[in-house]
Amino acid sequence: MAKLKDLVNVNINRNTIKIQGVEIPVIFTFESFPYLEQAYGKPYYVFEKDLNAMMKKGRVTLGKNEFKLMKALIYAMVRSGGTDCTVHELEGAISIDDLPGVFQVVLGIFQNQIFQAEDAKKIKTEKKS
């Protein structure tokens, strides 16, 4: 029997980010939604609307709202990638200088996903611990 990894790229939405020189696995899947909502403190559709508004500006200025969006997306992907941490631990681990590069990686993964608004609404939002 053929193995899926021999037929297709099973790491299409998997990557790594560097925090303090250490590679941390990240991924964005349906399992990421509860983590994202936990970190952002609002439903996914609000996060998506706010992220789109931030990206429409063309140039991101790092303010309180922008930082919250970035932190939520990074946290969701780090947790989904298999690393256990809190939002505060992650926030304290990434320097302001490293934040743009880390965010670029996770944003690229996120933008490659083709989730429809209807898909996000169907997801049962369970609180992850």
Side-chain angles (χ1 to χ4, degrees):
M1 179 180 290
K3 294 183 181 185
L4 184 63
K5 68 180 183 179
D6 294 334
L7 302 172
V8 298
N9 180 359
V10 295
N11 293 311
I12 198 163
N13 59 341
R14 183 178 301 275
N15 206 331
T16 59
I17 57 173
K18 279 198 176 188
I19 298 176
Q20 299 177 22
V22 177
E23 289 194 357
I24 309 293
V26 291
I27 191 168
F28 193 81
T29 65
F30 281 111
E31 291 180 6
S32 306
F33 285 86
Y35 293 125
L36 195 142
E37 291 177 341
Q38 174 190 355
Y40 197 59
K42 297 179 183 175
Y44 173 76
Y45 73 89
V46 175
F47 167 82
E48 186 178 38
K49 179 181 70 83
D50 293 347
L51 181 66
N52 287 334
M54 179 180 83
M55 298 310 292
K56 272 188 180 177
K57 295 177 186 174
R59 184 173 181 190
V60 177
T61 304
L62 190 56
K64 183 180 176 181
N65 293 334
E66 292 80 8
F67 181 68
K68 187 175 180 181
L69 285 162
M70 291 178 182
K71 179 175 61 172
L73 188 58
I74 294 166
Y75 175 75
M77 290 194 187
V78 166
R79 288 298 307 269
S80 299
T83 302
D84 188 20
C85 65
T86 67
V87 174
H88 296 293
E89 287 173 333
L90 188 62
E91 182 179 341
I94 302 173
S95 72
I96 294 295
D97 291 339
D98 290 339
L99 185 60
V102 169
F103 183 66
Q104 251 184 334
V105 172
V106 298
L107 184 62
I109 295 168
F110 180 76
Q111 290 177 327
N112 283 334
Q113 300 303 316
I114 308 175
F115 292 116
Q116 301 296 322
E118 303 81 49
D119 295 334
K121 289 177 186 172
K122 292 177 188 173
I123 299 169
K124 180 179 178 189
T125 54
E126 297 176 2
K127 297 289 180 198
K128 294 279 185 171
S129 56

